[in-house]
Structure formats: C-alpha cells, structure tokens
Amino acid sequence: MRMAELSERSGVPTATIKYYLREGLLRPGHRVTATQSTYGEEHLRRLRLVRALIQVGRMPVATAREVLGAIEDESIDHHARLGSAIRALPNDGALDAAFESGELDEETEAARRRADELFEELGWTFALASGAAEAAYRVLVGAIAGLARTGYPCELVDLLPYGRLADQLGVTDIDMVERYGDPYEQVEAAVALTVLYEPVLLSLRRLAEAEESNRRYSRGS
C-alpha cells in the first residue's frame, strides 16, 4: 500500500507517519521509485503500537524508541517485551530521589516494610526480586506512607483484601492481552489496556462504594 492508504487505514496523518519514519519508530517502506515507497501490514501493526505508546501511554519519542528496540530484541522472551513497555509508562516519581539516596523517613521506611509483608502474604516474589515493577512499588510505598501519616488504616489486614483483588485483576489483564495473537498487538494491548482500564477500575470502585453505602445506610432515599 502507498502512504496515503497507510494513513487512511491507520488513522495516522501522513505528516505524522513521515515524522515516525524520520525518528526511526517506523521501518522504511519498500522503495519503488526515487520518491515513493510501499508499505505492508507490518507497518500498519507498528503504527498502531507506536500510537499506543505515544498517544495512549504518553511516552516521549525517545522512550518509545527504546521500548520498540526491546520488543524487537530476539534475545529476550515475550514476558520481558511486555514488561519493557509497561515499565516505561509514566509513574509518580516523587519517591525516586529518596529511594536512590537511601534517605527514607520513618513513615516511608515502615511503609516499605508493610508493602514487603503484603507481597510475602500474597506470594508475590518476581516483581519485587527482579525490580520489574520498581516504579509501581515506589508509588505503593508512598501511598501506604500517606495513609500512615494521616492516621488511616494501613496495616497488613487492611491492605490484604486489596492485594487479593489485584492478584485476580492481574490474571484478568493477561487473559485479555492473550486475546490478541500477534506479539506486537499484545504489547499494544498491554499498554492501552493498562492506561485505559485504570479509570474504569477507579470508577467502578466509587460506584461500588455508593451501592454498598446504599445497602447499609439508606432508608429508601
């Protein structure tokens, strides 16, 4: 297909496609003349992945380029490819400097121990030991520390129900990703679903709280 058809089928403007080509995010097409090239289905799949990384995942172009390089690295398995894309998604980096320097305040240090206890209770060993989800771990520690500082429940018994629900969600997420047969589509889905389903989870939680409050406290209002 020519670039105009590639643009039409992908929904990506030709100017953006040319930009992705210049930045090395999209492989060059097959040259047919000095000024024209043709593109195949693999270019269409790559465009969808690039859009998922940059537009949905809000990755900088340089980060997307690194992720795409990891995806194409045949020396790593599919698990590592998925992980490289998810780890590159933006996270709250407020605790990064403290973790790197090792200067954690008392509440944060206690929160880290509590998070580790939670992982042990859930039987989660890979993410913590490998650093595969280090950014998410730091966000979790910061959230637990915030609960502790404000005096709200954050003991293991309080966190464990959330951890068990998250364990089930992890299975659901990967099951959904596996609906896509092509490895590139799976990485695209992992990025898009991670970003787009987080507001779904937040909204459903708030709706569920309203339902439960109504069950417990409503007098027919």
Side-chain angles (χ1 to χ4, degrees):
M1 73 186 90
R2 297 296 175 88
M3 184 175 291
E5 183 181 353
L6 180 63
S7 174
E8 182 179 357
R9 290 184 60 185
S10 66
V12 180
T14 56
T16 303
I17 294 175
K18 291 177 180 178
Y19 172 68
Y20 289 163
L21 285 165
R22 289 196 303 271
E23 292 295 322
L25 300 177
L26 188 66
R27 295 192 187 97
H30 175 68
R31 182 79 67 179
V32 291
T33 71
T35 59
Q36 290 188 330
S37 299
T38 58
Y39 303 88
E41 293 297 321
E42 69 276 10
H43 291 92
L44 187 61
R45 289 194 299 269
R46 170 60 74 93
L47 267 179
R48 289 169 178 163
L49 175 55
V50 170
R51 293 196 80 186
L53 296 174
I54 293 178
Q55 296 186 7
V56 179
R58 296 180 289 116
M59 286 185 196
V61 169
T63 303
R65 190 186 299 112
E66 292 177 7
V67 171
L68 292 169
I71 293 170
E72 294 178 337
D73 186 352
E74 296 183 357
S75 67
I76 61 177
D77 58 21
H78 190 48
H79 164 70
R81 293 188 183 99
L82 289 172
S84 68
I86 298 304
R87 285 196 302 275
L89 291 172
N91 282 280
D92 182 352
L95 288 178
D96 285 356
F99 269 92
E100 289 173 2
S101 66
E103 297 176 359
L104 302 180
D105 59 32
E106 184 177 343
E107 289 90 352
T108 304
E109 187 62 53
R112 183 165 66 172
R113 291 194 298 270
R114 188 61 40 75
D116 293 349
E117 291 171 357
L118 176 63
F119 285 4
E120 182 176 0
E121 185 69 24
L122 293 170
W124 292 1
T125 57
F126 169 77
L128 185 59
S130 66
E134 185 175 359
Y137 174 74
R138 294 179 179 185
V139 173
L140 173 63
V141 170
I144 296 173
L147 286 165
R149 291 189 186 100
T150 50
Y152 286 101
C154 59
E155 298 297 320
L156 179 61
V157 66
D158 305 307
L159 298 170
L160 196 54
Y162 293 93
R164 287 172 175 158
L165 288 171
D167 199 50
Q168 296 174 27
L169 285 171
V171 174
T172 300
D173 286 346
I174 300 302
D175 284 347
M176 193 176 296
V177 167
E178 286 186 343
R179 294 181 189 177
Y180 300 85
D182 181 84
Y184 276 91
E185 290 180 324
Q186 288 187 355
V187 176
E188 175 188 352
V191 171
L193 294 172
T194 296
V195 174
L196 296 175
Y197 260 88
E198 286 181 349
V200 171
L201 292 173
L202 176 61
S203 300
L204 286 174
R205 181 192 179 192
R206 293 183 180 181
L207 289 165
E209 288 174 348
E211 285 295 319
E212 184 60 22
S213 175
N214 180 65
R215 293 188 193 107
R216 296 191 189 195
Y217 309 126
S218 174
R219 296 180 179 178
S221 61

